Amino acid sequence: MRLGLVIDLDTCVGCHACAVACKQWNTSGTTGPLTDYRPYGADPSGVWFNRIRHYEVGEYPNSKTINFPMSCMHCEDADCVTVCPTGASYKRKEDGVVLIDQTKCMGCNYCSWACPYGARELDRESGTMKKCTLCIDRIYDETLAEIDRQPACVITCPAHARFFGDFDDQNSEVSRLVRERDGMQLMPELGYNPTNRYLPPRINTPIPTEDVRRDSLAGKVKEWVNKAVAR
């Protein structure tokens, strides 16, 4: 089994609901509290598993905003695991999820430097590294209804842009989406073979706008009437 996420960049609206739901669920999860720094100060910050970047692509008037959620990719060949000097970072054989044993982590930052996706954060209060766990304490909780055994970010997404499942199962929804929509890995050239995939934005036909600014006959009449009324 190889668990991971598929994120549809065509429907993600960048609302940050996934990041907030992740923070809420995991703040008392398996890795301990996700610390907030100066939460009521002028420059609040904190530890987050999931962050959303925003990019503008294309040329005006056919430009488009791409919202790009990023978290741990749960790589097949994870350098963050290889470089860890204490064995705190490990990859589960049974489902491919990469986790951090908080009792072994000494916060040396090696894993953070090895991760090209910026998925790991040092919690300055606990002195340990934190990262996405795929809500490991939720997806295996048999006291929850089966439909709720998914990462909090997936359940919360109002645009239904996130999907969770087993990539080794060719009949799973995540496998089908990747197959049908040419799901992509992020920076595959690095050789880490990330499990999470992104569905690229669909290519839209530009809407002609050349004639939008031209004055129509009705517009000229309307303008003349407005001037006449103003007098």
Side-chain angles (χ1 to χ4, degrees):
M1 188 159 59
R2 189 161 52 99
L3 299 178
L5 299 173
V6 165
I7 299 170
D8 189 347
L9 299 180
D10 196 54
T11 55
C12 176
V13 295
C15 66
H16 294 241
C18 54
V20 174
C22 168
K23 177 91 169 174
Q24 187 276 333
W25 177 261
N26 288 290
T27 201
S28 59
T30 56
T31 61
L34 305 184
T35 307
D36 288 322
Y37 309 123
R38 301 174 300 279
Y40 304 107
D43 54 348
S45 184
V47 179
W48 297 75
F49 286 171
N50 194 16
R51 293 182 183 272
I52 296 88
R53 273 73 174 178
H54 308 279
Y55 302 95
E56 195 75 9
V57 297
E59 297 293 331
Y60 177 84
N62 298 315
S63 57
K64 182 177 181 178
T65 300
I66 301 295
N67 305 297
F68 210 106
M70 288 187 67
S71 59
C72 176
M73 301 288 165
H74 300 280
C75 301
E76 285 294 294
D77 303 304
D79 262 9
C80 58
V81 173
T82 306
V83 302
C84 181
T86 66
S89 290
Y90 63 101
K91 186 174 179 65
R92 288 162 51 109
K93 291 181 180 178
E94 59 268 38
D95 54 20
V97 178
V98 176
L99 294 176
I100 301 171
D101 184 339
Q102 296 292 301
T103 65
K104 294 181 179 178
C105 180
M106 61 180 186
C108 66
N109 271 300
Y110 280 2
C111 59
S112 178
W113 297 333
C115 174
Y117 306 110
R120 292 178 172 240
E121 293 194 30
L122 176 66
D123 188 324
R124 298 200 296 270
E125 287 198 0
S126 67
T128 59
M129 302 303 296
K130 302 284 180 68
K131 63 172 283 299
C132 165
T133 67
L134 270 184
C135 289
I136 198 77
D137 54 343
R138 182 184 187 106
I139 60 178
Y140 287 109
D141 187 350
E142 295 186 356
T143 64
L144 296 175
E146 188 169 351
I147 196 173
D148 291 328
R149 295 177 205 164
Q150 302 184 72
C153 60
V154 175
I155 294 175
T156 301
C157 180
H160 303 291
R162 303 175 74 96
F163 304 86
F164 166 71
D166 179 11
F167 286 88
D168 279 347
D169 178 2
Q170 292 303 306
N171 297 318
S172 67
E173 186 176 29
V174 290
S175 295
R176 180 183 60 78
L177 286 168
V178 169
R179 191 167 54 243
E180 293 179 355
R181 296 272 309 278
D182 295 326
M184 301 181 300
Q185 295 176 322
L186 189 61
M187 295 190 285
E189 66 275 14
L190 298 179
Y192 295 160
N193 195 14
T195 299
N196 288 3
R197 302 296 174 93
Y198 291 91
L199 305 181
R202 295 178 180 87
I203 299 175
N204 297 322
T205 303
I207 300 174
T209 57
E210 290 79 6
D211 60 342
V212 171
R213 298 183 184 81
R214 293 177 185 170
D215 292 334
S216 63
L217 177 60
K220 289 181 179 178
V221 172
K222 185 177 180 181
E223 184 180 0
W224 181 84
V225 170
N226 286 339
K227 288 181 178 177
V229 171
R231 289 187 190 122

